[in-house]
Amino acid sequence: MRKKELEVLLSNVDGFINPKVKFEQYLTSSSIVADIIWDAYQKGYIEGKVVADLGCGSGIFGFGALLLGAKKVFFVDIDPDAIIIAKRNKIFLENKLKKNFSCDFFCCSVQVFKKNVDVVFQNPPFGTKDMHADRVFLEKALTVAPLVYSFHKYSTKKFVEVFAEDNGFHVLEVYRYKFPIKAQFSFHRSRVKDVDVGCWCLQKN
């Protein structure tokens, strides 16, 4: 599979039907997901690996990993509606590709998740509605995997990198994006707002 094929497949998965503001549920662009997943695949971090997609939402990161040969993916989200959508996307992709994916779904807080995995992908809430929500995700990710890809506002760069260092991790790479947030809640004033976001690739020392 080529990167563009991955992006096209991921663009066809369902997003949130009724996004919940308290969970900061925004669909991640398939081009950004494909960029991160493809880069990880090229570096040998995907094929044959066990992956966790924390705060999975529609499951787009986890399915990207499965499409590129992940051994198994754990999808974790506190919202039962998100898990329903992720399960539906699994069926859609399996039917489209005529193959079965190995994955488990957990409807729970990430704090409850206990499985050890090879790599975590996560685009957690940025903490604009629930202060420090991103810290909870980052703390959990660093306890269950030796390699973590985690999205945060770029303005929190110092916090992410100090927190990682304090927990025995170092920064391998930082990917910076203009993250498009489409208007979907009543308080949104712009049709699309670009947010300055980074994806930190963190590796255990």
Side-chain angles (χ1 to χ4, degrees), residues 83-157:
I83 293 295
I84 289 170
I85 294 167
K87 287 180 176 179
R88 191 164 65 217
N89 285 331
K90 174 182 181 284
I91 293 169
F92 163 73
L93 288 170
E94 286 182 331
N95 288 339
K96 187 174 184 64
L97 299 173
K98 302 295 188 291
K99 64 187 298 185
N100 294 321
F101 292 133
S102 177
C103 50
D104 289 333
F105 297 87
F106 294 82
C107 187
C108 64
S109 163
V110 293
Q111 293 167 302
V112 177
F113 181 70
K114 303 292 186 184
K115 302 285 187 181
N116 290 321
V117 299
D118 297 309
V119 58
V120 164
F121 292 94
Q122 60 179 15
N123 182 15
F126 291 154
T128 58
K129 300 302 175 186
D130 181 8
M131 192 175 293
H132 306 310
D134 56 339
R135 181 190 180 103
V136 172
F137 274 78
L138 190 55
E139 186 172 24
K140 171 55 66 172
L142 300 183
T143 64
V144 300
L147 187 71
V148 172
Y149 283 83
S150 190
F151 282 80
H152 303 270
K153 282 187 175 179
Y154 197 77
S155 60
T156 65
K157 180 177 187 292

Side-chain angles (χ1 to χ4, degrees), residues 25 43 53 78 100 106 177:
Q25 291 177 332
K43 291 176 171 139
D53 183 349
I78 198 170
N100 294 321
F106 294 82
Y177 298 100

